Amino acid sequence: MAAHDFISPEEAYLFNNGELQRSYGKFGAQVLEDGVHFAVWAPHATCVSVVGDFNQWQGAHHAMQLLGAGQTGIWTLFIPKLKAGERYKYEITAKDGTVVLKADPFAFLSELRPNTASVTYNMEGYQWSEAAQAWDAKKHETREQDENRPGPSAKPILIYEVHFGSWRRHPDDSLYTYRELADTLISYVKDMGYTHIEVMPLMEHPLDASWGYQITGYYSATSRFGTPHDLMYFVDKCHQAGIGVIMDWVPGHFCRDTQGLGRFDGEPLYDGGDHANWGTYRVNFARAEVWSFFISNALFWLDKFRFDGLRVDGVTSMLYSNFGEANSDNKSHVDERAVAFLQSLNDVVHSAYPNSLMFAEESSEWPCVTHPTGEGGLGFNYKWNMGWMNDTLKYMERPFSDRGKYHDCLTFSLMYAHSENFILPFSHDEVVHGKKSLLGRMPGDYWQQFAGLRALYCYYLTHPGKKICFMGTELAPFIEWRYYEELEWFMLNYEPHQQIQHFVKEANKIYQTQEALWFNDSGWQGFDWIDADNREQSIFTFLRYGSHEDDHLLVVLNMTPAHYSNYKVGVPIKAEPAKGGAGNDNEWLPTHNYEPLLNSDEARFGGSGKGNANTVSVELAQWHNRPASITIDIPPLAGLIFKPVRRK
């Protein structure tokens, strides 16, 4: 075939104008029946060749040609009879005569680190299960809406964030493969009551210590764990089990390694300057072709691997061009091109997959992150609530005697909780770099630390917002996460760690089954304070509502080791005439009582065994500006959830 025929003039035009949204089907190494077609964008190069084992890495054998009389900057070449499995790179001659070897930006497979060559690979051929195909079809259905924001939201979302290299390892310290993880991780996540898995970046990266966040191969599923088809198998098995899968995606910066995107053709191309904070290159969103590359990349993971959405890393660093720079406020210079890119990204993804999920890791006060792009928003489904996370952990780290002074740290979030569609993050970033594990942040003695962690988890599950929690939190490790070894599974040999894992499992399943905890996370219809001001006792009481008023839960949180055996709480209630009564005030009875749904202080969870074992009767006695009240036993450092039940 003629190499120039594979990419049409129209496709080249769209690529150069940032509109070739599935450029992965035209660029890189496309394995065809009779050979491999190569295409690469290198507008500043004077010469580009394909080199590999098949030509002894000699560029003179396979020089590429410029497409469109050189105006496109696209170099192409068809090599007959070449097959999948060949190592290759591009040999690029810059204007100053410097020659560099570059990995293919569009490569579907890369060599296992520390080697850096690209590998020809045929992405076709994986046979998806019928269950996975049915799951995928739902992502194309009309998108649900929540107050005109990008949906869906009226569903439970409880995400287990996973680093594949350290969830489990073999006894010889070797990594689990994609297929081995499919056979172990998925069943564990399902049993523990999570709805989704979020995988930390699986794009090819040279350094394990970067956790996948400094990328060289945006289209290469890292070969650490197997082949692209093996990763498809993992996603397939997740969908068969009813588990959604989110990919952590990094479009804002990339590493400086020689084989990567930096100074690709001898001059800045994909890179738009230094990223001061991370020692990387910022992505150059002023180049339209970079838009084609990254929007295509987002669709690639959704199209080919059928991920259910993307968590976009470092959105704040994209929005502000001076983010991370010394002697600046880091958030004063808006990068309008990056803003437009993010809006276009979300529009394109939601057009292709109306029910896909797009998460923004955004830590500033940028407005309308989860509002429609047509109204000036960025168009994400959810924004990470970093303010909630910081305030919550600040509070939980305080000595019990000081918590009254920091009471607002747990109440202030409700002042803005409905301004966006939020997700509450306890992510990997909170258990590294000297921050301690979540258990290690808890004050008090050994028992109080575990009790405090259980109370924190109750607050987390009952606060408005979807949820994401880093792997291992359910084991209550004492040490921080270590990327180079597996989680401390041996901790399950000790009863307190068994008990908290059991607690997390039960709490997760209550979250999934109780509509009031997730039906309306983005409006006051789903939340109502009973008492937000008891800073003296550090007790918080509130209601969560489902789709109707009668479907509600009462939440009580005690954040100190004090025990209260007769604590009165105001509750909403309906009343009806007593049987045989005339209907005067003394003859009305409440229609509901309250039964305990979850008590984090139960002995089986490692608690002291205090609390309310039986249904609590409602009295028609006003309290907390409510028409009725209940009197309950509040255990130390505990979270309680009550559910109304029809009075017999």
Side-chain angles (χ1 to χ4, degrees):
M1 66 173 291
H4 282 40
D5 293 339
F6 191 77
I7 299 178
S8 70
E10 292 77 15
E11 290 167 334
Y13 173 83
L14 290 172
F15 178 78
N16 290 140
N17 284 274
E19 299 173 359
L20 191 62
Q21 295 171 354
R22 287 181 169 85
S23 54
Y24 67 79
K26 294 295 180 177
F27 284 76
Q30 302 290 330
V31 178
L32 308 175
E33 290 185 3
D34 52 348
V36 178
H37 183 275
F38 294 88
V40 64
W41 176 55
H44 302 119
T46 60
C47 181
V48 182
S49 297
V50 181
V51 296
D53 294 331
F54 46 86
N55 63 14
Q56 294 76 50
W57 299 87
Q58 299 298 312
H61 296 302
H62 290 106
M64 304 180 78
Q65 295 180 318
L66 269 172
L67 184 68
Q71 296 178 357
T72 65
I74 300 170
W75 300 77
T76 65
L77 177 68
F78 177 71
I79 303 180
K81 299 182 180 180
L82 202 63
K83 299 184 181 300
E86 294 282 357
R87 298 192 309 151
Y88 73 99
K89 283 187 177 181
Y90 295 116
E91 183 184 271
I92 298 177
T93 304
K95 288 180 179 179
D96 64 1
T98 303
V99 177
V100 294
L101 292 180
K102 288 287 188 178
D104 187 350
F106 284 91
F108 298 140
L109 182 64
S110 301
E111 279 191 291
L112 180 64
R113 54 145 179 39
N115 296 323
T116 60
S118 303
V119 181
T120 56
Y121 188 84
N122 190 346
M123 290 292 292
E124 305 304 318
Y126 180 80
Q127 297 298 313
W128 293 88
S129 68
E130 291 185 7
Q133 292 183 52
W135 177 284
D136 193 59
K138 293 180 181 179
K139 287 181 287 187
H140 296 273
E141 296 174 357
T142 302
R143 181 171 59 196
E144 298 179 14
Q145 297 292 327
D146 175 27
E147 296 183 355
N148 298 316
R149 300 178 194 159
S153 65
K155 296 177 181 178
I157 295 180
L158 179 55
I159 302 171
Y160 190 69
E161 184 190 19
V162 181
H163 177 258
F164 274 4
S166 59
W167 183 71
R168 280 211 185 261
R169 290 196 175 193
H170 291 293
D172 64 358
D173 204 38
S174 60
L175 303 177
Y176 272 40
T177 66
Y178 293 121
R179 289 179 180 266
E180 288 171 332
L181 287 162
D183 295 337
T184 53
L185 172 61
I186 296 170
S187 59
Y188 177 79
V189 167
K190 183 76 171 179
D191 182 61
M192 286 297 297
Y194 298 96
T195 64
H196 292 71
I197 293 170
E198 179 179 297
V199 293
M200 289 169 68
L202 294 178
M203 300 81 174
E204 196 58 78
H205 53 283
L207 182 65
D208 288 11
S210 78
W211 313 335
Y213 289 95
Q214 296 190 11
I215 295 167
T216 52
Y218 274 92
Y219 288 83
S220 293
T222 179
S223 53
R224 287 168 173 79
F225 312 112
T227 69
H229 283 176
D230 294 334
L231 178 54
M232 293 177 192
Y233 176 86
F234 175 85
V235 177
D236 194 331
K237 287 295 185 179
C238 282
H239 291 169
Q240 290 180 48
I243 299 293
V245 196
I246 309 299
M247 170 71 90
D248 203 338
W249 189 57
V250 193
H253 70 115
F254 52 82
C255 65
R256 295 170 174 268
D257 290 54
T258 303
Q259 76 274 16
L261 298 179
R263 308 297 192 264
F264 187 77
D265 57 4
E267 299 183 28
L269 195 61
Y270 294 92
D271 41 321
D274 295 332
H275 199 300
N277 262 19
W278 300 323
T280 54
Y281 288 126
R282 298 178 63 92
V283 169
N284 181 14
F285 292 111
R287 294 294 304 240
E289 294 89 346
V290 173
W291 283 42
S292 288
F293 178 84
F294 278 102
I295 289 178
S296 171
N297 188 247
L299 290 177
F300 171 76
W301 295 102
L302 304 180
D303 290 346
K304 294 299 184 180
F305 294 92
R306 303 193 179 183
F307 281 95
D308 298 289
L310 303 172
R311 178 264 193 185
V312 182
D313 177 72
V315 170
T316 310
S317 74
M318 299 169 66
L319 295 174
Y320 301 98
S321 59
N322 62 331
F323 180 89
E325 292 181 5
N327 302 317
S328 77
D329 61 9
N330 295 330
K331 297 171 183 176
S332 59
H333 298 128
V334 173
D335 186 339
E336 298 291 353
R337 293 296 295 167
V339 174
F341 168 81
L342 289 168
Q343 292 174 321
S344 179
L345 166 72
N346 285 312
D347 283 344
V348 169
V349 167
H350 286 134
S351 176
Y353 297 96
N355 277 320
S356 60
L357 295 169
M358 297 294 285
F359 300 87
E361 190 218 7
E362 207 289 299
S363 59
S364 75
E365 297 178 356
W366 189 277
C368 302
V369 172
T370 61
H371 289 242
T373 58
E375 299 175 8
L378 295 183
F380 285 95
N381 297 89
Y382 295 100
K383 170 180 174 173
W384 277 33
N385 196 336
M386 309 296 282
W388 172 89
M389 178 273 297
N390 286 317
D391 284 348
T392 297
L393 294 180
K394 179 180 179 181
Y395 178 90
M396 296 304 297
E397 290 172 343
R398 303 308 305 169
F400 304 123
S401 60
D402 284 354
R403 286 189 169 176
K405 302 173 186 176
Y406 292 85
H407 191 82
D408 294 346
C409 287
L410 292 198
T411 60
F412 177 70
S413 57
L414 269 300
M415 299 294 291
Y416 62 87
H418 307 137
S419 62
E420 302 274 8
N421 291 337
F422 280 119
I423 185 164
L424 309 184
F426 285 142
S427 75
H428 64 275
D429 278 329
E430 311 324 315
V431 293
V432 291
H433 301 322
K435 297 176 184 176
K436 302 181 181 179
S437 68
L438 289 186
L439 182 68
R441 292 172 184 255
M442 301 298 110
D445 59 28
Y446 185 83
W447 184 91
Q448 290 169 341
Q449 284 185 295
F450 280 88
L453 185 58
R454 293 192 301 271
L456 169 62
Y457 203 78
C458 283
Y459 171 65
Y460 163 72
L461 285 186
T462 57
H463 188 287
K466 308 310 181 189
K467 326 293 178 185
I468 181 169
C469 202
F470 188 52
M471 66 180 195
T473 300
E474 74 280 8
L475 308 179
F478 285 103
I479 64 171
E480 293 182 336
W481 168 55
R482 299 175 178 179
Y483 72 89
Y484 49 83
E485 62 185 27
E486 73 171 13
L487 297 178
E488 294 183 292
W489 294 102
F490 68 87
M491 283 291 186
L492 294 178
N493 294 324
Y494 304 96
E495 189 174 34
H497 299 272
Q498 294 174 12
Q499 290 169 328
I500 201 161
Q501 184 192 45
H502 179 51
F503 166 74
V504 169
K505 177 179 177 178
E506 186 152 324
N508 286 353
K509 292 187 176 180
I510 287 173
Y511 169 79
Q512 279 210 50
T513 57
Q514 298 301 311
E515 181 184 274
L517 293 178
W518 44 259
F519 181 80
N520 193 331
D521 278 322
S522 300
W524 282 108
Q525 304 94 323
F527 182 92
D528 191 11
W529 280 114
I530 292 176
D531 186 1
D533 301 317
N534 189 350
R535 65 177 63 242
E536 292 182 4
Q537 294 172 299
S538 296
I539 292 177
F540 305 79
T541 50
F542 55 87
L543 299 165
R544 292 301 312 274
Y545 286 96
S547 55
H548 53 88
E549 184 179 351
D550 290 340
D551 178 17
H552 69 268
L553 297 177
L554 167 65
V555 179
V556 181
L557 302 169
N558 178 13
M559 292 304 190
T560 74
H563 172 220
Y564 302 94
S565 57
N566 291 286
Y567 190 92
K568 203 168 185 178
V569 180
V571 294
I573 200 68
K574 293 181 179 179
E576 60 188 7
K579 291 182 179 179
N584 58 52
D585 289 346
N586 294 327
E587 295 172 333
W588 287 84
L589 294 175
T591 60
H592 293 80
N593 290 320
Y594 284 85
E595 67 175 7
L597 190 62
L598 181 68
N599 174 5
S600 69
D601 192 55
E602 286 191 51
R604 63 196 176 110
F605 300 143
S608 64
K610 297 180 174 63
N612 310 272
N614 301 310
T615 299
V616 180
S617 297
V618 173
E619 301 176 16
L620 291 179
Q622 292 187 10
W623 200 256
H624 288 141
N625 295 316
R626 302 282 170 175
S629 58
I630 59 175
T631 301
I632 60 174
D633 185 293
I634 302 183
L637 285 170
L640 307 174
I641 303 177
F642 295 89
K643 185 177 179 66
V645 290
R646 183 75 180 179
R647 189 184 185 102
K648 295 181 180 179

